[in-house]
Amino acid sequence: MLQTFASPISALLDARAEGHSLPAGLYTREDVFEADLDVFFRRHWICIGLECDVPEAGDATVVDIGKTSLILLRDDDNEIRVMHNVCRHRGSRLLDAGKTIVSKLVCPYHTWTYELTGELSYAPHMGKGFDKECRSLKQVAFKSIGGLIYACLSENPPEDISHLEEVMTARLAPYDIANAKVAYETDVIEKGNWKLTIENNRECYHCSANHPELCVSFVDLDFGFDPDALSPEDRAQAEEHFALYEARTKQWEADGFPSTAVEQLVDCTTNFRTQRLIISGAGESQTPDATAASSKLLGTMTRKDLGDTHLWGHNSWNHFMGDHAVVSIVIPLSADRTLVRTKWLVHKDAVEGVDYDLEKLTNVWIATTDQDSELVARSHAGVEDPAYVPGPYSPFSETNLDKFATWYIDRMRAHGY
Amino acid sequence: MLQTFASPISALLDARAEGHSLPAGLYTREDVFEADLDVFFRRHWICIGLECDVPEAGDATVVDIGKTSLILLRDDDNEIRVMHNVCRHRGSRLLDAGKTIVSKLVCPYHTWTYELTGELSYAPHMGKGFDKECRSLKQVAFKSIGGLIYACLSENPPEDISHLEEVMTARLAPYDIANAKVAYETDVIEKGNWKLTIENNRECYHCSANHPELCVSFVDLDFGFDPDALSPEDRAQAEEHFALYEARTKQWEADGFPSTAVEQLVDCTTNFRTQRLIISGAGESQTPDATAASSKLLGTMTRKDLGDTHLWGHNSWNHFMGDHAVVSIVIPLSADRTLVRTKWLVHKDAVEGVDYDLEKLTNVWIATTDQDSELVARSHAGVEDPAYVPGPYSPFSETNLDKFATWYIDRMRAHGY
Amino acid sequence: MLQTFASPISALLDARAEGHSLPAGLYTREDVFEADLDVFFRRHWICIGLECDVPEAGDATVVDIGKTSLILLRDDDNEIRVMHNVCRHRGSRLLDAGKTIVSKLVCPYHTWTYELTGELSYAPHMGKGFDKECRSLKQVAFKSIGGLIYACLSENPPEDISHLEEVMTARLAPYDIANAKVAYETDVIEKGNWKLTIENNRECYHCSANHPELCVSFVDLDFGFDPDALSPEDRAQAEEHFALYEARTKQWEADGFPSTAVEQLVDCTTNFRTQRLIISGAGESQTPDATAASSKLLGTMTRKDLGDTHLWGHNSWNHFMGDHAVVSIVIPLSADRTLVRTKWLVHKDAVEGVDYDLEKLTNVWIATTDQDSELVARSHAGVEDPAYVPGPYSPFSETNLDKFATWYIDRMRAHGY
């Protein structure tokens, strides 16, 4: 007899076999989705946006994470703030989705008015004795790490974000992301579970068959390969690539640009990995011909040959290059729908049509994101099929998926599931 | 560990703090919604329509309340009937949504045929011994109160409807709503819980910031204000208004028009409030310039200066004026969707374009309903946010919300929740 | 106090009264729907398509049954295969919905490649020790019975399919359905539970009021009538019809065409009924004028006067006539949505516009399916209404519904519900 949700989530966690994809229910069940939101999007640090989303005092933008709506703004002292978009009177949304410029936050319902610090300054009809001080907007813990805003909705944010902060602050400094310009932004809704979106992003095993645009500048060897399966010609090419990678890394480090891989993927709370990788072909940027899309480089960069500093988190992936950066943020919408928000960043003074060509800038990752969206949908439909059984990850090119699955199981257990 | 619906509904009821809006789950949870339908839309009297929806024998209209579909019709003896729109054979719907004219109710599936009284008169293929008598359409308890149809889906309708009946029969008599004409009708689906729709309707604290059209004829002071917050000028204006209100009420009553507030809002089963209020400005009607929209007055009315007799129930609000009336009925569709059905009534002989201008007639409440729909959506999105906590009602202008919330909690408990 | 799903499914099964339609929950509840999928669409044999859906080696078509996606294909040895459309790596769908031609089954995600037998022949990045043999595509049990493909998703398919196989192999032989041509195909989504779709199909009580096109060639008397309700004229007509039916059946059988009714409807696992019936009017085919739509007859047929061999299963109905056949397959989509897939078959060499007119061929069953879709929607809306109570089946023309309901209850119980 079939029973919906017959097994507790813990039984699904127990059922996971090392080296294999997750049991179906962990991708498809609504109760698991609610647990995922609770554990990975409330209790962990998540990337929600950028300092340069709100470049000037009074700039505000709304970021929705599930039913939680956040206001990311820059206050009158030029400080970043993250607050809940919920009036303290009867709960009305203060701001609509999207970007706006505000001098105060005025609730449209009954005109309760908050300063940009979140302080309640006006609440008509409430009488003389009313205590405004305990009715400030609820603040959210956040950190700007190299201009990327990480927030945590819990009251006890994990402490090991410090490692990410330490590593990335140095690596991202020359790109000055805090002062970049968002040249373009897309929201793509993938028809799949957020963990399939992340798994898809954590391997390049599927690149050669699916991402012709990305493969111009990406070297899929960097993400693992089966040495025994290489032809003599491919082996020679691989050896050449890794020799070059070693030489470059040494030179980059000597020039003061941290490059070696740093990862915190298992046995940790905050999950991340970074590494500076060679860009293939012309070697400058993830564009159709691998040359820079923007003639004005990011931040204080003076070189286009510093490769691609990539950074993965459990809800984001990022590529920082000399001329531009691409930041992708993953926001689960339901067990089978996931928003992928992608932002293309250039120097704040770069002018479209003069310093950069927008089509060239966005071509590769628009195409790649669409292709991945197809693959995630195909994958999700399959794991929903009663005939699905968890399959084996490649021991060469899917080891990061195995680590992600292991981390996922561990974190769920750590939170009592 | 987050558990969906971990707490029973009773825990939510217990958690409600006096003077504050309801705990989130009471607005958002599906199990609470099912309970609400059961308690407030099956066991209580609800307003479902008007006698003048079916002015002539054979007129029928379908009213859907959740999955329940009702036929409101006028039978061959000119009597109103309310019956379930479910064939007693295999359950097929007899009538489609909307209005129609019928001589019998013939099921389109197998032609079982019912008289307009609900009696089964023809059932082919059922054989000689088949007992048609026990297969009449199921009747629904209803009352016409001044032309408004109140129905109760339960077999034990609450008895204290008698107070509403007694009060309103007298007040509504001169308007003769039973013989009015429905000049216009709108269905607006609000993206919020039905209780937020009602709360929104029970205060005018939000009027000045949101309802420019309504504020021409409405006096928001009538719905409460903070005396200490008034400027000397506003105070003078308020005093003038209440002096006028007192004088008018005295005169109206002396002229035979009951006007004083009557309410049954807490410690009761059937919830209602009525009062005759002054119309502002030109003083005649809720129109863009507060003058009457129809030159032919309702019923036996001969005066345009009798203000606005308003009537609130837990699923309706109504305004009866000299020239026209506006009746709004609230039908919950899901925890987060609510239908607001509004009907504009004029004298049955009033002719559009001659006696009344439709745009003038409908302008204020079309605008107001759309504005309220926005506010309810904004409110619902907020109460769904995990950051929402119940906030304080104004002790001046939101006391009726507090009473509604208290009544809601009491009624839920009375039905075993 | 109302409790969603308060009663177990077994209580609903117990509540069913003989001779009456099912308790509402069996048509409407999501948990019952999941149970139905499990019992009737996983553990029983279901009709999924036709041999002639994939006429040549390399032809493949995807059939989705709930979340289960099946590949029906013809392999290089011209053998039919039914396999799960789920890659054994990370579960990706191999083929998209619809028909295609394949030489291998290549997963688009990571290019795992399967032979048309399902054998995994290529899996890059998996290393030398990887055992491909245990990663073949999962096979599904199936039988071709006279060219109709019956599949069973369970590992223990019911054995009493043998009776259906034995009876229908002989009856269908002259039509050679395996080598027919699919001239047309429609997918209609009915807004109702799959059991209401089947109940609708199992009686012709509703035909005279709803199916003018079908009634040209159908004789509704064949599906039961109330003898006492016939007028003398109707009685004479009925007697004439049944005398003719007896004579024809005798002659058909003598000519070597099995015709008498065979049924296995209760006290069995596999549910079916077949009978050769007279076609009314011109007597040849279910077309607007009851003459054949195709001048080239099916298979080895040489006569147009062999009536209509109909075949019912719990998820299909079929009509085999001299010139064409109509096959309908029922696939539940949700508790309140059901896909009806209909295929019109002609001789494989019949040419549209030359041998047959497509409009004439498809007219009757396109119209009938649309009419039934309306009736099923109307029926489903009614059984969802809290006012619905199970009603009595006609003891004359709805006996097959009573048998279906009885079989449904028995099969649910047999599987532990």
Side-chain angles (χ1 to χ4, degrees):
Chain A
M1 177 183 345
L2 177 136
Q3 287 287 355
T4 311
F5 297 179
S7 60
I9 293 174
S10 61
L12 293 174
L13 302 175
D14 292 345
R16 199 248 157 174
E18 209 188 310
H20 288 69
S21 57
L22 297 172
L26 295 177
Y27 296 115
T28 62
R29 277 172 38 172
E30 281 300 323
D31 58 340
V32 173
F33 177 73
E34 292 297 329
D36 280 8
L37 279 186
D38 179 42
V39 171
F40 298 96
F41 291 82
R42 292 194 67 76
R43 300 182 188 280
H44 285 76
W45 290 95
I46 52 176
C47 185
I48 64 160
L50 301 163
E51 280 209 45
C52 59
D53 283 326
V54 288
E56 295 184 27
D59 284 347
T61 187
V62 169
V63 181
D64 293 329
I65 312 288
K67 300 288 190 189
T68 296
S69 183
L70 302 177
I71 297 172
L72 166 65
L73 63 74
R74 193 174 291 269
D75 71 17
D76 297 327
D77 296 327
N78 262 306
E79 297 298 321
I80 297 284
R81 299 256 177 190
V82 182
M83 292 178 280
H84 286 286
N85 185 16
V86 180
C87 183
R88 297 299 305 275
H89 177 210
R90 279 160 52 201
S92 171
R93 286 275 178 256
L94 298 165
L95 296 186
D96 291 328
K99 299 195 174 197
T100 187
I101 300 171
V102 287
S103 58
K104 314 243 179 198
L105 295 164
V106 183
C107 181
Y109 208 162
H110 305 92
T111 68
W112 283 33
T113 301
Y114 303 86
E115 300 303 312
L116 298 190
T117 57
E119 200 184 342
L120 178 61
S121 55
Y122 178 64
H125 291 224
M126 297 309 292
K128 272 194 282 192
F130 180 65
D131 181 5
K132 286 205 284 281
E133 283 186 28
C134 69
R135 299 279 166 193
S136 298
L137 292 183
K138 288 189 181 177
Q139 307 287 318
V140 173
F142 76 94
K143 275 176 185 291
S144 170
I145 299 180
L148 304 174
I149 307 291
Y150 287 83
C152 181
L153 296 170
S154 140
E155 286 176 12
N156 297 301
E159 294 181 2
D160 69 352
I161 186 87
S162 59
H163 189 200
L164 167 64
E165 190 169 16
E166 185 195 327
V167 170
M168 295 312 298
T169 300
R171 291 197 179 206
L172 293 181
Y175 301 97
D176 194 16
I177 296 303
N179 291 300
K181 176 177 99 167
V182 179
Y184 200 68
E185 185 166 338
T186 60
D187 274 2
V188 170
I189 295 176
E190 298 190 347
K191 295 183 180 169
N193 186 265
W194 72 278
K195 298 186 292 293
L196 294 175
T197 298
I198 292 297
E199 290 191 39
N200 174 264
N201 180 259
R202 295 298 119 102
E203 47 94 351
C204 213
Y205 178 4
H206 70 275
C207 287
S208 62
N210 290 281
H211 296 318
E213 295 83 357
L214 185 65
C215 284
V216 171
S217 49
F218 239 60
V219 184
D220 57 7
L221 287 167
D222 285 332
F223 300 92
F225 60 97
D226 176 0
D228 295 325
L230 294 184
S231 65
E233 191 179 54
D234 285 349
R235 180 180 304 269
Q237 211 175 353
E239 279 165 7
E240 192 184 335
H241 171 71
F242 287 106
L244 181 66
Y245 171 74
E246 206 170 329
R248 284 272 175 86
T249 305
K250 207 165 162 182
Q251 186 61 51
W252 287 332
E253 295 263 345
D255 294 348
F257 298 100
S259 302
T260 52
V262 178
E263 67 178 40
Q264 174 170 303
L265 294 177
V266 288
D267 299 327
C268 60
T269 303
T270 302
N271 176 308
F272 80 97
R273 185 179 198 285
T274 186
Q275 185 178 11
R276 187 183 303 267
L277 291 172
I278 286 177
I279 290 172
S280 198
E284 298 178 355
S285 190
Q286 287 161 3
T287 63
D289 64 0
T291 65
S294 176
S295 59
K296 206 175 278 293
L297 301 189
L298 279 172
T300 59
M301 299 288 283
T302 55
R303 293 166 54 178
K304 300 179 188 172
D305 66 347
L306 286 168
D308 161 31
T309 294
H310 80 87
L311 167 65
W312 291 341
H314 81 272
N315 89 313
S316 68
W317 57 86
N318 308 270
H319 297 279
F320 304 95
M321 296 157 287
D323 69 320
H324 81 282
V326 183
V327 170
S328 292
I329 296 173
V330 170
I331 299 173
L333 301 178
S334 64
D336 62 359
R337 289 290 182 280
T338 302
L339 176 67
V340 176
R341 175 167 292 159
T342 305
K343 298 169 194 248
W344 285 260
L345 310 179
V346 294
H347 189 281
K348 68 175 169 184
D349 298 330
V351 176
E352 185 184 335
V354 177
D355 299 304
Y356 66 93
D357 177 70
L358 191 63
E359 206 286 320
K360 180 172 177 180
L361 181 77
T362 58
N363 177 287
V364 168
W365 278 103
I366 285 181
T368 302
T369 303
D370 285 349
Q371 291 148 359
D372 282 334
S373 181
E374 278 295 306
L375 294 172
V376 167
R378 187 174 281 283
S379 221
H380 192 89
V383 300
E384 280 190 318
D385 194 308
Y388 164 82
V389 286
Y393 289 131
S394 160
F396 307 106
S397 50
E398 296 180 310
T399 51
N400 282 319
L401 281 71
D402 192 39
K403 286 178 185 166
F404 176 69
T406 300
W407 176 80
Y408 171 82
I409 300 284
D410 287 351
R411 297 311 308 152
M412 287 288 274
R413 285 204 177 110
H415 287 283
Y417 288 96
Chain B
M1 178 181 347
L2 176 137
Q3 288 286 354
T4 312
F5 296 179
S7 60
I9 292 174
S10 60
L12 292 174
L13 301 175
D14 291 346
R16 199 249 156 172
E18 210 188 307
H20 287 70
S21 57
L22 298 173
L26 295 177
Y27 297 116
T28 62
R29 276 173 37 171
E30 280 301 322
D31 58 340
V32 173
F33 177 71
E34 292 298 328
D36 279 8
L37 280 186
D38 179 43
V39 170
F40 298 95
F41 291 82
R42 292 193 67 76
R43 301 182 189 280
H44 285 75
W45 290 95
I46 52 176
C47 185
I48 64 161
L50 301 163
E51 281 208 46
C52 59
D53 283 326
V54 287
E56 296 184 28
D59 284 347
T61 187
V62 170
V63 181
D64 293 329
I65 312 288
K67 300 289 189 188
T68 296
S69 184
L70 302 177
I71 298 172
L72 166 64
L73 62 74
R74 192 173 290 268
D75 70 17
D76 297 327
D77 296 327
N78 262 307
E79 296 298 323
I80 297 284
R81 299 256 176 190
V82 182
M83 293 178 279
H84 285 288
N85 185 17
V86 180
C87 183
R88 299 298 307 275
H89 176 210
R90 279 159 52 199
S92 171
R93 286 276 177 255
L94 298 165
L95 296 185
D96 292 326
K99 299 194 174 197
T100 186
I101 300 171
V102 286
S103 58
K104 313 243 178 197
L105 295 165
V106 183
C107 180
Y109 208 162
H110 304 92
T111 67
W112 283 33
T113 302
Y114 303 86
E115 301 303 312
L116 298 190
T117 58
E119 199 184 344
L120 177 61
S121 55
Y122 178 63
H125 290 226
M126 297 309 290
K128 272 193 282 192
F130 180 65
D131 180 6
K132 286 205 285 281
E133 283 187 28
C134 68
R135 300 278 166 192
S136 297
L137 291 183
K138 288 188 180 178
Q139 307 288 318
V140 173
F142 76 95
K143 274 177 186 289
S144 170
I145 299 179
L148 304 175
I149 307 292
Y150 287 84
C152 181
L153 296 169
S154 139
E155 287 175 13
N156 298 300
E159 294 181 1
D160 69 352
I161 185 88
S162 59
H163 189 201
L164 168 63
E165 191 170 15
E166 185 196 326
V167 170
M168 294 312 299
T169 299
R171 292 198 178 205
L172 293 181
Y175 301 98
D176 193 15
I177 296 303
N179 292 299
K181 176 178 98 166
V182 179
Y184 200 68
E185 185 166 339
T186 59
D187 275 2
V188 170
I189 295 176
E190 297 190 348
K191 295 182 179 170
N193 186 265
W194 72 276
K195 297 186 294 292
L196 294 175
T197 298
I198 292 297
E199 289 191 40
N200 174 263
N201 180 260
R202 294 300 118 100
E203 47 94 352
C204 212
Y205 179 3
H206 71 274
C207 288
S208 61
N210 289 282
H211 297 317
E213 295 84 357
L214 184 65
C215 284
V216 172
S217 49
F218 240 60
V219 184
D220 57 7
L221 287 167
D222 284 332
F223 300 92
F225 61 97
D226 175 0
D228 294 326
L230 293 184
S231 66
E233 191 179 54
D234 285 347
R235 180 180 304 269
Q237 210 175 353
E239 279 164 7
E240 191 184 336
H241 170 71
F242 287 106
L244 181 65
Y245 171 73
E246 206 170 331
R248 283 273 174 86
T249 304
K250 207 166 161 181
Q251 186 61 51
W252 287 332
E253 294 264 345
D255 294 347
F257 298 101
S259 303
T260 52
V262 178
E263 67 178 39
Q264 175 169 300
L265 294 177
V266 288
D267 299 327
C268 59
T269 303
T270 302
N271 177 307
F272 81 96
R273 185 179 198 283
T274 186
Q275 184 178 13
R276 188 182 303 266
L277 291 172
I278 286 177
I279 290 172
S280 198
E284 298 178 355
S285 190
Q286 287 161 2
T287 62
D289 64 359
T291 65
S294 176
S295 59
K296 206 174 278 294
L297 300 189
L298 278 172
T300 59
M301 298 289 283
T302 54
R303 293 166 55 178
K304 300 179 188 173
D305 66 348
L306 286 168
D308 161 31
T309 294
H310 81 86
L311 168 64
W312 291 341
H314 81 271
N315 88 313
S316 67
W317 56 87
N318 307 270
H319 297 280
F320 303 96
M321 295 158 286
D323 68 321
H324 82 281
V326 183
V327 171
S328 292
I329 296 173
V330 170
I331 299 174
L333 302 178
S334 64
D336 62 359
R337 289 291 182 279
T338 302
L339 175 68
V340 176
R341 175 166 293 160
T342 305
K343 298 170 195 249
W344 285 260
L345 310 179
V346 295
H347 190 280
K348 67 176 169 185
D349 299 329
V351 176
E352 185 184 337
V354 178
D355 300 302
Y356 66 94
D357 177 70
L358 190 63
E359 206 286 320
K360 180 172 177 181
L361 181 77
T362 58
N363 177 286
V364 168
W365 278 103
I366 284 181
T368 303
T369 303
D370 285 349
Q371 290 149 0
D372 283 333
S373 182
E374 278 295 305
L375 294 172
V376 168
R378 186 175 283 283
S379 221
H380 191 90
V383 299
E384 279 191 318
D385 194 309
Y388 164 83
V389 287
Y393 289 131
S394 161
F396 307 105
S397 50
E398 296 181 309
T399 51
N400 283 318
L401 282 71
D402 193 38
K403 287 178 185 166
F404 176 70
T406 300
W407 177 79
Y408 171 82
I409 301 284
D410 288 351
R411 297 311 307 153
M412 287 288 274
R413 285 203 176 111
H415 287 282
Y417 286 96
Chain C
M1 175 181 349
L2 176 136
Q3 288 287 353
T4 311
F5 297 177
S7 60
I9 293 175
S10 61
L12 293 174
L13 301 176
D14 292 345
R16 198 247 157 173
E18 209 187 307
H20 287 69
S21 57
L22 297 173
L26 295 177
Y27 297 115
T28 62
R29 277 173 36 173
E30 281 300 323
D31 59 341
V32 173
F33 178 71
E34 292 297 328
D36 280 7
L37 279 186
D38 179 42
V39 171
F40 297 96
F41 291 82
R42 293 193 66 76
R43 300 183 188 280
H44 286 75
W45 290 95
I46 52 175
C47 185
I48 64 160
L50 301 163
E51 279 208 47
C52 60
D53 282 327
V54 288
E56 296 184 28
D59 284 348
T61 187
V62 169
V63 181
D64 293 329
I65 312 288
K67 299 288 189 189
T68 296
S69 184
L70 302 178
I71 298 172
L72 167 64
L73 63 74
R74 193 174 291 268
D75 71 17
D76 297 327
D77 296 328
N78 263 306
E79 296 298 321
I80 296 285
R81 300 255 175 191
V82 182
M83 292 178 280
H84 285 287
N85 185 16
V86 180
C87 183
R88 298 298 308 274
H89 177 209
R90 278 160 52 200
S92 170
R93 286 275 178 256
L94 298 163
L95 296 185
D96 291 327
K99 299 195 174 196
T100 187
I101 300 171
V102 286
S103 57
K104 316 243 179 198
L105 294 164
V106 183
C107 180
Y109 208 163
H110 304 93
T111 68
W112 284 32
T113 301
Y114 303 86
E115 301 303 312
L116 298 189
T117 57
E119 200 185 343
L120 177 61
S121 55
Y122 178 63
H125 290 226
M126 297 308 292
K128 271 194 281 192
F130 180 65
D131 180 6
K132 285 203 286 280
E133 284 187 25
C134 68
R135 298 281 166 191
S136 298
L137 291 182
K138 287 190 182 177
Q139 307 288 317
V140 173
F142 76 94
K143 274 176 187 290
S144 171
I145 298 179
L148 303 175
I149 307 291
Y150 287 83
C152 181
L153 296 169
S154 140
E155 286 175 12
N156 298 301
E159 293 181 2
D160 69 352
I161 185 89
S162 59
H163 188 201
L164 167 63
E165 190 170 14
E166 185 196 325
V167 170
M168 293 313 297
T169 300
R171 291 196 180 207
L172 293 181
Y175 301 97
D176 194 16
I177 296 303
N179 291 299
K181 177 178 97 167
V182 180
Y184 200 68
E185 186 166 337
T186 60
D187 275 2
V188 170
I189 294 176
E190 298 190 347
K191 295 183 180 170
N193 186 265
W194 72 278
K195 298 187 291 291
L196 294 175
T197 298
I198 292 296
E199 289 191 40
N200 173 265
N201 179 260
R202 294 300 118 101
E203 48 94 352
C204 212
Y205 178 3
H206 70 275
C207 287
S208 61
N210 289 282
H211 296 318
E213 295 84 357
L214 185 65
C215 284
V216 171
S217 48
F218 240 60
V219 185
D220 57 7
L221 287 167
D222 285 332
F223 300 92
F225 61 97
D226 175 359
D228 294 326
L230 294 184
S231 66
E233 191 178 55
D234 285 349
R235 180 180 303 269
Q237 210 176 353
E239 279 163 7
E240 190 184 336
H241 170 71
F242 287 107
L244 182 65
Y245 171 74
E246 206 170 330
R248 284 273 174 86
T249 304
K250 207 166 163 182
Q251 185 61 50
W252 286 333
E253 294 264 346
D255 294 348
F257 298 101
S259 302
T260 53
V262 178
E263 67 178 40
Q264 175 170 303
L265 295 177
V266 288
D267 300 327
C268 60
T269 303
T270 302
N271 177 307
F272 80 97
R273 187 180 197 284
T274 186
Q275 185 178 13
R276 187 183 303 267
L277 290 172
I278 286 177
I279 290 172
S280 197
E284 297 178 354
S285 190
Q286 288 161 2
T287 62
D289 64 0
T291 65
S294 176
S295 58
K296 207 175 278 294
L297 301 189
L298 278 172
T300 60
M301 299 289 282
T302 54
R303 294 166 55 177
K304 301 179 188 171
D305 66 348
L306 287 167
D308 162 30
T309 294
H310 81 86
L311 168 64
W312 289 343
H314 81 271
N315 89 311
S316 67
W317 56 86
N318 308 270
H319 297 280
F320 303 96
M321 295 159 285
D323 69 320
H324 82 281
V326 183
V327 171
S328 292
I329 296 173
V330 170
I331 299 174
L333 301 178
S334 63
D336 61 359
R337 289 292 182 279
T338 302
L339 175 68
V340 176
R341 175 167 292 160
T342 306
K343 298 170 195 249
W344 285 261
L345 310 180
V346 294
H347 189 281
K348 68 176 169 183
D349 298 330
V351 176
E352 186 185 335
V354 178
D355 300 303
Y356 66 94
D357 177 70
L358 190 63
E359 207 285 320
K360 179 172 178 180
L361 181 77
T362 58
N363 177 287
V364 168
W365 278 102
I366 284 180
T368 302
T369 303
D370 285 349
Q371 291 148 359
D372 283 333
S373 181
E374 279 295 305
L375 294 172
V376 167
R378 187 174 280 283
S379 220
H380 192 90
V383 300
E384 279 190 319
D385 194 308
Y388 164 83
V389 286
Y393 289 132
S394 161
F396 307 106
S397 50
E398 296 180 312
T399 52
N400 282 319
L401 282 70
D402 192 39
K403 287 178 184 166
F404 176 69
T406 301
W407 176 79
Y408 172 81
I409 301 285
D410 288 351
R411 297 310 308 151
M412 287 287 274
R413 285 204 176 111
H415 286 284
Y417 287 96

